[in-house]
Amino acid sequence: MTVKVTTTVNGNQVSGDVEPNTLLVHFIRENLELTGTHVGCDTSQCGACTVHVDGRPVKSCTMLAVQAEGHEVTTIEGIGEEGNLHPMQAAFQEEHGLQCGFCTPGMIMASIGIVDRNKDNLSEEVVRHELEGNICRCTGYHNIVKSVLAGARDM
Amino acid sequence: MYNFTYHRAGSVDEAASLISDNEDAKLLAGGMTLLPTMKQRLAMPSDLVDLNEIGDLSGISVDGGTVTIGATTRHADVAASADVQAAIPALAALANQIGDPQVRNRGTIGGSLANADPAADYPAAVVGLGATVVTNKREIAGDDFFVDMFETALDEGEIITAVRFPVPQKASYFKFPNPASRYPIVGVMVAVTDAGVRVGITGAAPSAFRNAEMEAALGSNFSVDALDGISVDADGLNEDMHASAAYRASLVSTGAKRAVAAIA
């Protein structure tokens, strides 16, 4: 039996009928057709599905769509757009913080959270430590860390 | 994930009545263990009773010598709480080492305790700090809460509402994390309280436990040296692909010394 879910995604009120076992990430990708949020490992480890719920990064593969009822969800599509990128998106582009790009939306959403939580004490060490919920399998984290620090300067 | 019927509980009483009628129902808090378990089809509850929208189940208060943390308070909120950092900095530090930032933004203290994973962090704090687990029916002493691997003193359908931590004179948590999962292979909470020294250990055995020999030695001489010569029996400790029982026993000794060294 489907359940109606009404939530706010990227500032817009949306609703849809979902099965109770629908994960938030599938609601975002399939019902709302916002495919910037990726499914990587599907086991709560890789962070590719990271979105913000009420301003805080969470793994949308480990939350039910019905649990977003009444909450505010922000996806990678909601933070910037072509020609008007979020400072963190621009920094990933400028500092070559991606190779294949699959992990990038989750990296950027997690990175904005890192900057939000560590406004006064952001350092390379903090960034490296707090990226532990996100996995890049292309090339390592060096340029990603550079991107986060550069993005933080412009946020 | 098998399908289920979803219930959004508006109060603890409503949640209790929803779960009491149905032995195949499960409570959903942060979902950081339950949802991955269901995704792997290792669990198939008929109903999920979501506790997340019960407002008075979440929050932190400090009253005199007690820190009270609501059951659905997220790990990130415990870690970032100025009140917890001031009263029991070791508890805030422990919360900040659970999983990763995204997990800490969802996972809850009540969910972690009810699940009673042998390798969870919070059990070391509940046992090591002498906390009290408050439920919708009664209060359970931390020493009596953990029964066995994934087994607690909670009755069927009993709901944790809060955890009360007495503020120690000082405390320190040492964690040796699995580098991939961030679960403690061994975690040791050492606390100096008005009632004596407590040493709570997680990760090493089927459930969190205290070490009376260490507590007695530290009670008469709170120093790293006091722990010299106390060997931990590997018999009955956990053994898996990550660490042998003997290695875990060694980590308990080393972890206790490191925790003491941080506050001695």
Side-chain angles (χ1 to χ4, degrees):
Chain A
M1 193 180 77
T2 59
V3 181
K4 183 168 177 155
V5 55
T6 302
T7 180
T8 304
V9 176
N10 300 333
N12 304 312
Q13 194 179 72
V14 296
S15 57
D17 295 316
V18 298
E19 291 290 337
N21 66 353
T22 303
L23 298 171
L24 178 59
V25 67
H26 293 134
F27 179 69
I28 289 168
R29 288 180 56 86
E30 291 163 23
N31 291 57
L32 305 181
E33 299 184 345
L34 294 170
T35 54
T37 302
H38 293 164
V39 179
C41 67
D42 203 21
T43 57
S44 337
Q45 298 178 70
C46 80
C49 66
T50 300
V51 301
H52 292 184
V53 174
D54 299 332
R56 291 157 58 144
V58 304
K59 293 177 180 177
S60 61
C61 81
T62 316
M63 183 171 160
L64 302 173
V66 287
Q67 293 187 286
E69 174 82 24
H71 293 277
E72 290 193 15
V73 178
T74 307
T75 71
I76 189 74
E77 290 91 345
I79 62 166
E81 57 197 351
E82 218 172 317
N84 183 27
L85 294 178
H86 185 281
M88 192 60 76
Q89 291 174 303
F92 270 72
Q93 182 182 49
E94 195 62 31
E95 302 290 336
H96 308 283
L98 61 139
Q99 188 165 311
C100 86
F102 192 89
C103 73
T104 310
M107 285 284 179
I108 288 173
M109 298 309 283
S111 298
I112 293 169
I114 293 172
V115 176
D116 287 344
R117 285 192 302 276
N118 298 282
K119 285 191 179 70
D120 303 324
N121 63 339
L122 198 69
S123 65
E124 180 180 332
E125 189 186 353
V126 167
V127 173
R128 285 188 185 278
H129 182 63
E130 297 214 357
L131 277 174
E132 66 187 343
N134 295 74
I135 294 175
C136 164
R137 286 288 91 125
C138 281
T139 184
Y141 299 87
H142 191 68
N143 282 2
I144 293 173
V145 174
K146 274 171 64 181
S147 303
V148 179
L149 291 169
R153 285 193 287 274
D154 299 330
M155 270 174 68
Chain B
M1 191 188 296
Y2 293 110
N3 219 339
F4 52 86
T5 303
Y6 174 82
H7 309 270
R8 187 179 294 112
S11 68
V12 174
D13 287 345
E14 186 188 352
S17 104
L18 284 165
I19 195 126
S20 70
D21 299 340
N22 187 341
E23 65 179 24
D24 294 324
K26 277 210 171 278
L27 298 169
L28 174 63
M32 294 296 98
T33 299
L34 179 57
L35 293 177
T37 305
M38 290 173 65
K39 285 165 71 173
Q40 293 180 69
R41 298 193 168 185
L42 296 171
M44 49 178 299
S46 63
D47 296 68
L48 283 190
V49 179
D50 189 350
L51 303 174
N52 283 281
E53 303 299 325
I54 305 174
D56 54 8
L57 265 189
S58 175
I60 297 167
S61 64
V62 180
D63 181 15
T66 305
V67 174
T68 303
I69 302 178
T72 58
T73 307
R74 318 274 179 201
H75 308 324
D77 292 321
V78 175
S81 162
D83 287 339
V84 178
Q85 288 172 4
I88 317 179
L91 182 60
L94 176 149
N96 201 39
Q97 295 176 61
I98 299 171
D100 58 49
Q102 292 96 317
V103 168
R104 293 194 286 275
N105 280 336
R106 288 297 293 171
T108 70
I109 187 169
S112 172
L113 296 179
N115 187 49
D117 191 308
D121 289 281
Y122 269 128
V126 166
V127 171
L129 295 168
T132 301
V133 179
V134 184
T135 78
N136 59 332
K137 294 180 179 171
R138 57 185 169 146
E139 299 186 354
I140 305 172
D143 284 338
D144 301 330
F145 185 77
F146 300 102
V147 174
D148 205 343
M149 199 172 275
F150 297 107
E151 188 183 339
T152 69
L154 292 170
D155 292 333
E156 282 294 321
E158 188 172 8
I159 301 172
I160 299 174
T161 55
V163 187
R164 288 205 304 259
F165 293 93
V167 175
Q169 293 165 22
K170 54 186 177 180
S172 167
Y173 181 61
F174 168 86
K175 173 176 180 174
F176 187 82
N178 177 310
S181 72
R182 303 294 194 237
Y183 278 99
I185 291 176
V186 165
V188 184
M189 176 69 82
V190 174
V192 180
T193 76
D194 294 342
V197 176
R198 299 177 69 99
V199 178
I201 299 154
T202 192
S207 59
F209 63 101
R210 291 165 66 187
N211 185 305
E213 197 180 355
M214 289 181 175
E215 291 179 354
L218 292 169
S220 52
N221 173 18
F222 194 79
S223 72
V224 174
D225 292 344
L227 296 174
D228 278 342
I230 298 179
S231 65
V232 175
D233 190 356
D235 197 32
L237 296 191
N238 297 337
E239 179 141 342
D240 55 28
M241 64 184 285
H242 306 299
S244 67
Y247 185 48
R248 281 192 164 86
S250 170
L251 282 174
V252 171
S253 296
T254 304
K257 287 179 182 176
R258 298 267 179 94
V260 170
I263 52 172

